[in-house]
Every structure is written in structure tokens, then in C-alpha cells.
Amino acid sequence: MTDTPPSPPNESQATSTDRGGVLRFLKHRSPFILGTTLVVLGCGYTGLRWWVYRYLPQTIEAQLEPILNRDIKVGAVRKFPLSLTGLELGPTFIPPTDYDRTDISVQAIRVNFNPMPLLWGKLPIALTLIQPKIYASQDAKGNWVTLKLNLPKPQEPPIDIQSDLRVEEAAIALLPYGAKNPVTITAD
């Protein structure tokens, strides 16, 4: 008996076999790929959520205190939805100082944003101060608020931030110099 070598496959058979191999690979590996993708996304979201709840208030304080030259206490994160379109911070305070008796407290700060415009380099942010209470007293020179801002050098931001500030149930107390009782203003 003579061994005859197998005949080489023609090109049409080779391409259909290649496609079949790719389809077979994807068919058998797709649950693995999908599962791996879901695990990576879940771990990423869980890590982000942990960082936001644990470190975001401290990070905001560390960024604002050198600019304002005042102590600031940012409240804990109360809400951070699954949709990643906003968050809510708890009670936040800016206490008075030796050079400025202005004192600010806010029951909550709600921040809403839409991440989709980031694709076009824009980030619209709606900031809502809930039940802010502001106490300001006038000094002998007639100044109401003495801010010693330590602003960083202006830089072109990488994205265009479009902000909108809203206030809910505000109370402002103004004490003119020499007066005993403050003038109170409320707004809804």
C-alpha cells in the first residue's frame, strides 16, 4: 500500500474553516468575555463609590482651605446614585475667624451633572445649597466680608464647566456696625 498525501484544501474550504474557528472561539468564549467585562465594571464602580464616600469630602476641604484661607468642614457624602449623575454632601460649615466674623452653614449641597457633554469638552453642573445660613457682621471700616483669597494662577481648564447655582430656604443675618440686632433675610 502506498500512502498518498492528503490533497491541500482549496481556498474556499480554508476561509470557511477560518470563519468557523473564529465563530466557535467567540461562541465558547463570549460568556467568559461578558463575565470578565461585568466584573471589571463592577469593581471599577465599587472602587469609585468607595473613594467618593471615603475621600471626596477631605479632598474638597484640602482644595478649598488654601484658597479661602479659612477652615472648612465639608459634610459626608449622603447620596451617590448608580447613574453617576450627581451626589449630595451633608452639613457643611465655614466657621468665623479672628479677622472675619462671617459664619456660613449649609444643611446639604446637591451637585447634579450630566457626563454625556464631556464628549464635546463641556460639563454642565447644577449646584444647589439647601438651607444655607449666613451670618455676616460689618466691621468698623464698613466691610461685610473680608476674604483673603489665595487664588492659583489662572490656567486654561481642560473642559468647559458650565455652572448653575441654586439656593433653597436660605437665611441671612446681617449685623451692621454698632447695631445690637441683626437684620434677617429669608428666601425660599
Side-chain angles (χ1 to χ4, degrees), residues 11-24:
E11 287 185 26
S12 65
Q13 288 176 336
T15 55
S16 68
T17 306
D18 291 343
R19 281 190 216 130
V22 170
L23 290 175
R24 222 178 355 239

Side-chain angles (χ1 to χ4, degrees), residues 19-166:
R19 281 190 216 130
V22 170
L23 290 175
R24 222 178 355 239
F25 174 78
L26 290 176
K27 187 176 182 182
H28 295 294
R29 303 290 194 282
S30 62
F32 174 73
I33 293 169
L34 179 63
T36 302
T37 303
L38 290 174
V39 167
V40 167
L41 289 174
C43 289
Y45 175 75
T46 302
L48 175 65
R49 189 172 178 83
W50 174 79
W51 186 88
V52 164
Y53 276 94
R54 174 111 172 144
Y55 293 108
L56 184 63
Q58 299 168 348
T59 303
I60 294 171
E61 288 173 6
Q63 294 294 314
L64 289 178
E65 284 179 355
I67 293 172
L68 296 175
N69 284 318
R70 295 185 68 163
D71 289 333
I72 182 168
K73 178 63 180 145
V74 176
V77 176
R78 290 202 266 192
K79 294 179 185 173
F80 184 61
L82 181 63
S83 63
L84 304 176
T85 57
L87 57 89
E88 186 172 306
L89 299 168
T92 300
F93 306 98
I94 300 177
T97 64
D98 294 337
Y99 61 86
D100 187 0
R101 301 307 308 158
T102 302
D103 148 21
I104 301 170
S105 68
V106 180
Q107 272 307 108
I109 299 173
R110 188 179 312 127
V111 182
N112 293 315
F113 48 86
N114 180 1
M116 288 303 291
L118 279 173
L119 297 172
W120 297 275
K122 297 179 182 178
L123 181 62
I125 295 176
L127 185 68
T128 305
L129 303 178
I130 301 168
Q131 296 179 349
K133 291 183 173 67
I134 301 170
Y135 174 82
S137 61
Q138 189 178 33
D139 64 14
K141 296 178 186 174
N143 298 319
W144 285 98
V145 177
T146 305
L147 290 176
K148 296 178 182 178
L149 297 178
N150 188 15
L151 297 172
K153 293 179 184 175
Q155 296 177 342
E156 184 67 30
I159 57 173
D160 179 26
I161 297 176
Q162 303 163 341
S163 59
D164 180 25
L165 177 64
R166 297 180 183 133

